[in-house]
Structure formats: structure tokens, C-alpha cells
Amino acid sequence: MEHATQEAVQEVTRKKANNRPSSFLNWKMGIGAIVIIAVIVFGGLYYYQATRFNAQISINGINVGGLTADKAIKKLGATVLKNEVYVGQERIIDGNDTKMGFTNEDLPGVQKVLKSQQTIFPTSKAKNYILLPKAVDQYRSQTLKDLVKNKLIAMNKNLKAPVDADVRVEQGAIVVSKSINGKQYDIEKLLQQYQNHEYRSVIQLNPVYIQPIKENSAIIKQKQKALSDILQRTVNYTVQDKAYALKGSDLIKNATLSKDGQISIDPGEIKNEMAKINASQSTLNKNFQFKTHSGAIISVKGQTYGWALDVNKESKRILDALEKGQNSVVASNIYGNGWDNEAIGYKTTMNNGIGNTYAEVSINEQRIWLYRNGQMVLTTNVVTGRADVNQDTHPGVWYILYKKSPSILVGSEYGMVHYRVPVNYWAPFTNDGEGFHDASWRTNWSSTAYIHAGSGGCVNTPPSIMKEVYNNLSTYEPVIIY
């Protein structure tokens, strides 16, 4: 019994040994089949992935998922661009519809996109690629762009403009005004957005507004410094022998600076200051204090003799000097009542503006005195204008207009409508024809002759001394008649 059992065990063992090679072969064949199937599947998947776009891939916003490059180029070529332009949520342009413009010439570009988006396994990750056709879209690049630009310009006309911060001088103090935001579009930046926008059917521009110059900007700080510098300037203004220190802080009450740095100063205070200087120093149409030959101090009204500042022109020069930083200005715009409105006596400061060389004429005494450099060089009796018929020689401070020898006097006087008289010496001092001259026809040289037998206004001088008188008179020399 024990022997039979051992044989049975041996038989079982033998059968198992005989069955082992067949099972292993079947297992290996199964694995091989799986591998082959996997290779086929992977190869097919790789081919699919290499020739088709992933599901959520777009070109210029057009979905090309699952398409080959050839089919994608056809879809892109058939796509219509609506050419709508939005700024924010507002549509500002509804342009003409155009085709996207892709052709077979653009196939290499699509293939390049296909390769760049390729993954080993399919993915639903969304991505958009930008691709421009080789043929330039003239409508999109130029026509539509011009429409956008013109539309924005038109819109800005009805939108609130920003207000820049600014700096100015108000009542002598530097004031900075605050900036105010506006609603006008920054056209240049929006057009730049347009230029760089993706090649899509709808163009979406983000609103960008013109920004005002802010209070803390470098421009405002530069203006503050410029105005502060101007207020600190001083112009030394010289009139005759006097100098005036004209300070910007005193004269500039209101001023502004333009964007290009040009200053505009209110000239009001400068004109007021120049008017004060003119009033205190000029002599035109004023009374001169004059010391006569006898030592008496009298007041004589300036007539053709005298000068004044042209306040407007001199104010402009001071204003320009303050603007440009010029330190000194010498008065130059001087006028008067001379023959050609010239100023007489501006360069004379001594003897109350008359100087030390002059001719003195006393109507009451019927006499003249000539002074040279403070010394009397000649005196003589004369006959002045006829008093009883109001042809008196005009009192005042005049000057010698010119000298002429010989000369012919042409004019009229009481009892003689027209005369033409030759003289040897002629030195006029009024613009209407009064002057010194010899009078060979006169026989009455008494001190009262002027009352009833005087001249037509001239100073008749005895012929015997007229040459000496003539030689001691100078052009522009003051003539004081009282």
C-alpha cells in the first residue's frame, strides 16, 4: 500500500513537469501581444497628436482643435473678420467685414504652430496662438486704423479735458494749482494698442485717458524754481546819474510760465514804478527852479526844453531784463517837445537841469545875459515881442534849435500880414519861429519899446553886438525867458 502511494506521487510529479513549458509559452505570448497592441496604440496616438491640434487650441481666436494643418488653414482662410472696435464696453467702430486672409502660403506658419503645441497625450488645456497672414491686410492696417483715430478725435471734442497742475505768481506769492482728471482718451496710446492688437475679429482696446500734469511732477517743480529765481532777481536801472534797484519780488505781482518755459509777467507794477521814477526825475512840461542874474529864485515852465521817459517802452525793457536775468539797464527811451520830439537836457543834471551854459532873457528888464560854464560872458539890451497886441515873447525854458548866418525871416506880425526880411544872424528857440536876430531897421531901442513898438515875438538884438551874441550861443543851449 505504501509502495502504491509513492508511485502515484511520482506520476503526478511527472505530469506537472510535462505541463510547465506550455503555460510559460502562453504567458510570454500574451505579454508580447500586449506590447504590440501598446506600440500600435501609442504609434497611432503619436501620429494623431503630430498631425492634429489639441482640442482647445485656437489661432487668432479661431478654434482649430482636432484639425490638421491643412484643414486649419482652410478654416482660417474662410473666417470672416467683423472688424468691430471697442474701447472698454463701448463699440466705437463697426467696420466692413473682411476675410482673415490666410492662404496656402501661410501653411508653414500653421504647421509651426501645430508642432509647438504638440503634446504626447491629448490635453484640454486652452491656448491661443497669434499668426499673421503673409498678405498684409490693408483695410485692417490702414483704413480701419484711420477710422479709429478720427473717431477718437471726434469723441474727445465732447469729452472733458484734463486740467494740468500749474504754477503762477499771485499777488507776489508762488501758487500751485491742483490737477483735474479728464475723460479724454489718450489717442496715441490707444492707437499703439490697436497696432499691437491680436489678429482677431473684434478689437478690444483698454481705455487709456490723457493724464494731467500732477502737482508733484518734475515739470511743476521746475516751474516753481524758475518763478522763484525770477522773484529773486534785481535790475539796476540808471536814469541820468541815479540808479534804482528794481527787485522782482517788489515788481512781479502776477506771472505765469508757458509749457516751453516762457514767462509772462503782468507789467502793471513795473509801469507804476517807472511812472514814479519818471515823475520824480523827468523835466518835461515841469517848472524849472532858476536863479536869475540878480540872485532871485524863480519858477519857469519848461517848454521845448525838457525830457521824459517813455514809460511803456522802458517798462518793457525792465520786464525783459527780469525775464532774461539781465542785471543792469540804462534808460534809453527818452522823448521831449523838441523840433522832432527829441529830449533836450537829459544829459544835464546841474543847476536844476538847466546847466551852466544858457541864455537868460528878462522881458521886464528888456535885457539878456549869456552864460558859459557858469560865467556870464555877455549882456545887452534887447526888444522883445509887442505887449499891447499880445505878441509877447513867450515865457518859458526853450532851447536854440539851430543857427544860420545870414538868413531870411519869413512871417507875419501885427500890422504886417506878410514879411520877408533878411538878417545877418538867426538863432531860433521856439517851434513857431521866435528867436534871436539882429534888427537893422529898428530905431527905438528903449526899455519900454516892447510895449507899443515891440517885435512879432522875436528877441531883437542891436546889430552892433549881434555877432558876439550869435557866437556865444550854441545849438541845444537852454533859453530861459521870464
Side-chain angles (χ1 to χ4, degrees), residues 214-249:
K214 301 296 184 180
E215 297 89 313
N216 59 351
S217 68
I219 293 175
I220 296 301
K221 290 180 180 179
Q222 289 172 359
K223 282 190 172 185
Q224 284 179 288
K225 185 178 184 306
L227 288 175
S228 178
D229 289 345
I230 290 169
L231 290 176
Q232 298 304 313
R233 290 174 183 170
T234 297
V235 176
N236 294 310
Y237 181 57
T238 303
V239 182
Q240 290 186 312
D241 58 349
K242 292 186 178 181
Y244 301 86
L246 305 180
K247 298 180 179 179
S249 56

Short mmCIF file of all heavy atoms in Angstrom, two decimals, residues 214-249:
data_model
loop_
_atom_site.label_atom_id
_atom_site.label_comp_id
_atom_site.label_asym_id
_atom_site.label_seq_id
_atom_site.Cartn_x
_atom_site.Cartn_y
_atom_site.Cartn_z
N LYS A 214 0.75 116.47 -12.87
CA LYS A 214 0.42 116.44 -11.45
C LYS A 214 1.22 117.49 -10.66
O LYS A 214 2.27 117.97 -11.12
CB LYS A 214 0.72 115.05 -10.88
CG LYS A 214 -0.07 113.92 -11.55
CD LYS A 214 -1.57 114.07 -11.34
CE LYS A 214 -2.33 112.89 -11.92
NZ LYS A 214 -3.78 113.03 -11.72
N GLU A 215 0.70 117.78 -9.46
CA GLU A 215 1.31 118.82 -8.63
C GLU A 215 2.74 118.49 -8.22
O GLU A 215 3.56 119.40 -8.05
CB GLU A 215 0.47 119.04 -7.37
CG GLU A 215 -0.93 119.54 -7.62
CD GLU A 215 -1.95 118.45 -7.82
OE1 GLU A 215 -1.68 117.50 -8.60
OE2 GLU A 215 -3.02 118.51 -7.21
N ASN A 216 3.03 117.20 -8.07
CA ASN A 216 4.36 116.80 -7.60
C ASN A 216 5.28 116.38 -8.74
O ASN A 216 6.32 115.78 -8.51
CB ASN A 216 4.24 115.66 -6.60
CG ASN A 216 3.55 114.43 -7.22
OD1 ASN A 216 3.03 114.51 -8.32
ND2 ASN A 216 3.56 113.33 -6.49
N SER A 217 4.90 116.71 -9.97
CA SER A 217 5.71 116.31 -11.12
C SER A 217 6.97 117.16 -11.23
O SER A 217 7.07 118.25 -10.66
CB SER A 217 4.89 116.43 -12.40
OG SER A 217 4.63 117.80 -12.68
N ALA A 218 7.93 116.65 -11.98
CA ALA A 218 9.19 117.38 -12.19
C ALA A 218 8.95 118.69 -12.92
O ALA A 218 9.62 119.70 -12.65
CB ALA A 218 10.15 116.50 -13.00
N ILE A 219 7.97 118.69 -13.82
CA ILE A 219 7.67 119.92 -14.58
C ILE A 219 7.22 121.03 -13.64
O ILE A 219 7.66 122.17 -13.74
CB ILE A 219 6.57 119.63 -15.63
CG1 ILE A 219 7.12 118.69 -16.70
CG2 ILE A 219 6.08 120.93 -16.27
CD1 ILE A 219 6.08 118.26 -17.72
N ILE A 220 6.33 120.69 -12.72
CA ILE A 220 5.82 121.70 -11.78
C ILE A 220 6.93 122.19 -10.86
O ILE A 220 7.05 123.39 -10.57
CB ILE A 220 4.65 121.11 -10.96
CG1 ILE A 220 3.47 120.78 -11.90
CG2 ILE A 220 4.21 122.10 -9.89
CD1 ILE A 220 2.95 121.98 -12.67
N LYS A 221 7.78 121.27 -10.43
CA LYS A 221 8.89 121.67 -9.56
C LYS A 221 9.86 122.59 -10.29
O LYS A 221 10.39 123.55 -9.72
CB LYS A 221 9.61 120.43 -9.05
CG LYS A 221 8.77 119.62 -8.04
CD LYS A 221 9.51 118.39 -7.55
CE LYS A 221 8.66 117.61 -6.56
NZ LYS A 221 9.34 116.38 -6.07
N GLN A 222 10.08 122.30 -11.57
CA GLN A 222 10.95 123.18 -12.37
C GLN A 222 10.34 124.57 -12.52
O GLN A 222 11.05 125.58 -12.44
CB GLN A 222 11.19 122.55 -13.75
CG GLN A 222 12.08 121.32 -13.72
CD GLN A 222 12.14 120.62 -15.06
OE1 GLN A 222 11.50 121.02 -16.03
NE2 GLN A 222 12.91 119.55 -15.13
N LYS A 223 9.02 124.62 -12.73
CA LYS A 223 8.35 125.91 -12.84
C LYS A 223 8.44 126.69 -11.54
O LYS A 223 8.65 127.91 -11.54
CB LYS A 223 6.88 125.71 -13.24
CG LYS A 223 6.66 125.40 -14.71
CD LYS A 223 5.19 125.47 -15.03
CE LYS A 223 4.93 125.36 -16.53
NZ LYS A 223 3.50 125.55 -16.86
N GLN A 224 8.26 125.98 -10.42
CA GLN A 224 8.37 126.65 -9.12
C GLN A 224 9.75 127.28 -8.95
O GLN A 224 9.87 128.43 -8.50
CB GLN A 224 8.12 125.63 -7.99
CG GLN A 224 6.67 125.26 -7.80
CD GLN A 224 6.49 124.25 -6.69
OE1 GLN A 224 6.84 123.09 -6.85
NE2 GLN A 224 5.96 124.69 -5.57
N LYS A 225 10.77 126.52 -9.32
CA LYS A 225 12.13 127.04 -9.18
C LYS A 225 12.36 128.24 -10.11
O LYS A 225 12.97 129.24 -9.72
CB LYS A 225 13.14 125.94 -9.50
CG LYS A 225 14.60 126.37 -9.27
CD LYS A 225 15.57 125.25 -9.55
CE LYS A 225 16.99 125.67 -9.21
NZ LYS A 225 17.40 126.91 -9.87
N ALA A 226 11.85 128.13 -11.35
CA ALA A 226 12.04 129.22 -12.32
C ALA A 226 11.39 130.50 -11.82
O ALA A 226 11.99 131.59 -11.88
CB ALA A 226 11.48 128.81 -13.67
N LEU A 227 10.16 130.41 -11.31
CA LEU A 227 9.48 131.60 -10.82
C LEU A 227 10.15 132.14 -9.55
O LEU A 227 10.24 133.36 -9.36
CB LEU A 227 8.00 131.28 -10.54
CG LEU A 227 7.13 131.09 -11.78
CD1 LEU A 227 5.72 130.66 -11.38
CD2 LEU A 227 7.07 132.35 -12.61
N SER A 228 10.60 131.23 -8.72
CA SER A 228 11.31 131.67 -7.50
C SER A 228 12.58 132.43 -7.87
O SER A 228 12.89 133.46 -7.27
CB SER A 228 11.65 130.46 -6.63
OG SER A 228 12.36 130.86 -5.48
N ASP A 229 13.30 131.94 -8.88
CA ASP A 229 14.52 132.61 -9.33
C ASP A 229 14.22 134.00 -9.85
O ASP A 229 14.96 134.96 -9.58
CB ASP A 229 15.21 131.78 -10.42
CG ASP A 229 15.83 130.50 -9.88
OD1 ASP A 229 15.97 130.39 -8.64
OD2 ASP A 229 16.14 129.61 -10.69
N ILE A 230 13.14 134.12 -10.60
CA ILE A 230 12.78 135.42 -11.18
C ILE A 230 12.41 136.42 -10.08
O ILE A 230 12.80 137.60 -10.14
CB ILE A 230 11.62 135.26 -12.18
CG1 ILE A 230 12.12 134.51 -13.43
CG2 ILE A 230 11.03 136.61 -12.58
CD1 ILE A 230 11.03 134.07 -14.36
N LEU A 231 11.70 135.95 -9.07
CA LEU A 231 11.32 136.84 -7.97
C LEU A 231 12.55 137.34 -7.21
O LEU A 231 12.51 138.41 -6.60
CB LEU A 231 10.37 136.12 -7.02
CG LEU A 231 8.96 135.85 -7.55
CD1 LEU A 231 8.16 135.05 -6.53
CD2 LEU A 231 8.23 137.14 -7.88
N GLN A 232 13.63 136.56 -7.25
CA GLN A 232 14.84 136.94 -6.51
C GLN A 232 15.76 137.87 -7.31
O GLN A 232 16.75 138.38 -6.79
CB GLN A 232 15.64 135.69 -6.12
CG GLN A 232 14.89 134.74 -5.19
CD GLN A 232 14.40 135.42 -3.93
OE1 GLN A 232 15.15 136.15 -3.28
NE2 GLN A 232 13.14 135.20 -3.57
N ARG A 233 15.40 138.11 -8.58
CA ARG A 233 16.28 138.93 -9.42
C ARG A 233 16.14 140.42 -9.10
O ARG A 233 15.09 140.87 -8.65
CB ARG A 233 15.96 138.68 -10.89
CG ARG A 233 16.37 137.30 -11.37
CD ARG A 233 15.90 137.03 -12.78
NE ARG A 233 16.24 135.66 -13.18
CZ ARG A 233 15.80 135.07 -14.27
NH1 ARG A 233 15.01 135.74 -15.10
NH2 ARG A 233 16.14 133.83 -14.56
N THR A 234 17.21 141.15 -9.38
CA THR A 234 17.23 142.60 -9.21
C THR A 234 17.83 143.24 -10.45
O THR A 234 18.87 142.78 -10.95
CB THR A 234 18.04 143.01 -7.97
OG1 THR A 234 17.42 142.48 -6.80
CG2 THR A 234 18.12 144.54 -7.85
N VAL A 235 17.17 144.27 -10.96
CA VAL A 235 17.68 145.02 -12.12
C VAL A 235 18.09 146.41 -11.64
O VAL A 235 17.28 147.14 -11.05
CB VAL A 235 16.61 145.14 -13.22
CG1 VAL A 235 17.14 146.01 -14.37
CG2 VAL A 235 16.21 143.77 -13.73
N ASN A 236 19.34 146.77 -11.86
CA ASN A 236 19.82 148.11 -11.52
C ASN A 236 19.54 149.03 -12.70
O ASN A 236 20.15 148.90 -13.76
CB ASN A 236 21.32 148.07 -11.20
CG ASN A 236 21.61 147.28 -9.94
OD1 ASN A 236 21.00 147.51 -8.91
ND2 ASN A 236 22.53 146.33 -10.03
N TYR A 237 18.60 149.95 -12.50
CA TYR A 237 18.12 150.82 -13.57
C TYR A 237 18.69 152.22 -13.36
O TYR A 237 18.49 152.83 -12.31
CB TYR A 237 16.59 150.85 -13.55
CG TYR A 237 15.96 151.70 -14.62
CD1 TYR A 237 16.21 151.47 -15.96
CD2 TYR A 237 15.08 152.72 -14.27
CE1 TYR A 237 15.61 152.25 -16.94
CE2 TYR A 237 14.46 153.49 -15.25
CZ TYR A 237 14.74 153.26 -16.58
OH TYR A 237 14.15 154.02 -17.55
N THR A 238 19.41 152.73 -14.38
CA THR A 238 20.07 154.02 -14.27
C THR A 238 19.38 155.06 -15.14
O THR A 238 19.18 154.86 -16.34
CB THR A 238 21.55 153.91 -14.69
OG1 THR A 238 22.19 152.92 -13.89
CG2 THR A 238 22.26 155.24 -14.51
N VAL A 239 19.00 156.16 -14.51
CA VAL A 239 18.42 157.32 -15.20
C VAL A 239 19.28 158.52 -14.86
O VAL A 239 19.38 158.90 -13.69
CB VAL A 239 16.96 157.56 -14.76
CG1 VAL A 239 16.37 158.74 -15.55
CG2 VAL A 239 16.12 156.31 -14.96
N GLN A 240 19.91 159.10 -15.87
CA GLN A 240 20.89 160.17 -15.66
C GLN A 240 21.96 159.67 -14.68
O GLN A 240 22.62 158.67 -14.94
CB GLN A 240 20.21 161.45 -15.17
CG GLN A 240 19.36 162.14 -16.25
CD GLN A 240 18.82 163.46 -15.77
OE1 GLN A 240 18.27 163.58 -14.67
NE2 GLN A 240 18.96 164.48 -16.61
N ASP A 241 22.10 160.32 -13.54
CA ASP A 241 23.13 159.93 -12.58
C ASP A 241 22.56 159.18 -11.39
O ASP A 241 23.23 158.98 -10.38
CB ASP A 241 23.89 161.16 -12.09
CG ASP A 241 22.98 162.20 -11.45
OD1 ASP A 241 21.73 162.05 -11.57
OD2 ASP A 241 23.49 163.15 -10.82
N LYS A 242 21.30 158.72 -11.51
CA LYS A 242 20.68 157.99 -10.40
C LYS A 242 20.45 156.54 -10.79
O LYS A 242 20.09 156.22 -11.92
CB LYS A 242 19.35 158.65 -10.02
CG LYS A 242 19.50 160.02 -9.39
CD LYS A 242 18.15 160.55 -8.92
CE LYS A 242 18.30 161.91 -8.24
NZ LYS A 242 17.01 162.43 -7.76
N ALA A 243 20.65 155.66 -9.81
CA ALA A 243 20.43 154.23 -10.02
C ALA A 243 19.33 153.73 -9.09
O ALA A 243 19.27 154.13 -7.92
CB ALA A 243 21.72 153.46 -9.78
N TYR A 244 18.47 152.90 -9.63
CA TYR A 244 17.35 152.34 -8.86
C TYR A 244 17.48 150.81 -8.86
O TYR A 244 17.64 150.19 -9.91
CB TYR A 244 16.02 152.73 -9.48
CG TYR A 244 15.79 154.22 -9.58
CD1 TYR A 244 16.27 154.95 -10.68
CD2 TYR A 244 15.09 154.90 -8.61
CE1 TYR A 244 16.06 156.31 -10.79
CE2 TYR A 244 14.87 156.28 -8.70
CZ TYR A 244 15.36 156.97 -9.80
OH TYR A 244 15.15 158.33 -9.91
N ALA A 245 17.42 150.22 -7.67
CA ALA A 245 17.45 148.76 -7.55
C ALA A 245 16.01 148.25 -7.65
O ALA A 245 15.23 148.37 -6.70
CB ALA A 245 18.08 148.34 -6.23
N LEU A 246 15.66 147.70 -8.81
CA LEU A 246 14.30 147.22 -9.05
C LEU A 246 14.25 145.72 -8.78
O LEU A 246 14.80 144.92 -9.53
CB LEU A 246 13.88 147.53 -10.49
CG LEU A 246 14.01 149.01 -10.91
CD1 LEU A 246 13.58 149.18 -12.35
CD2 LEU A 246 13.19 149.90 -9.98
N LYS A 247 13.58 145.34 -7.70
CA LYS A 247 13.52 143.95 -7.27
C LYS A 247 12.31 143.24 -7.85
O LYS A 247 11.20 143.76 -7.83
CB LYS A 247 13.49 143.86 -5.75
CG LYS A 247 14.73 144.42 -5.07
CD LYS A 247 14.63 144.29 -3.56
CE LYS A 247 15.88 144.83 -2.87
NZ LYS A 247 15.77 144.71 -1.40
N GLY A 248 12.56 142.01 -8.32
CA GLY A 248 11.47 141.21 -8.86
C GLY A 248 10.39 140.95 -7.83
O GLY A 248 9.20 140.95 -8.13
N SER A 249 10.79 140.74 -6.58
CA SER A 249 9.82 140.46 -5.52
C SER A 249 8.89 141.65 -5.27
O SER A 249 7.78 141.48 -4.77
CB SER A 249 10.54 140.09 -4.22
OG SER A 249 11.46 141.12 -3.85
#
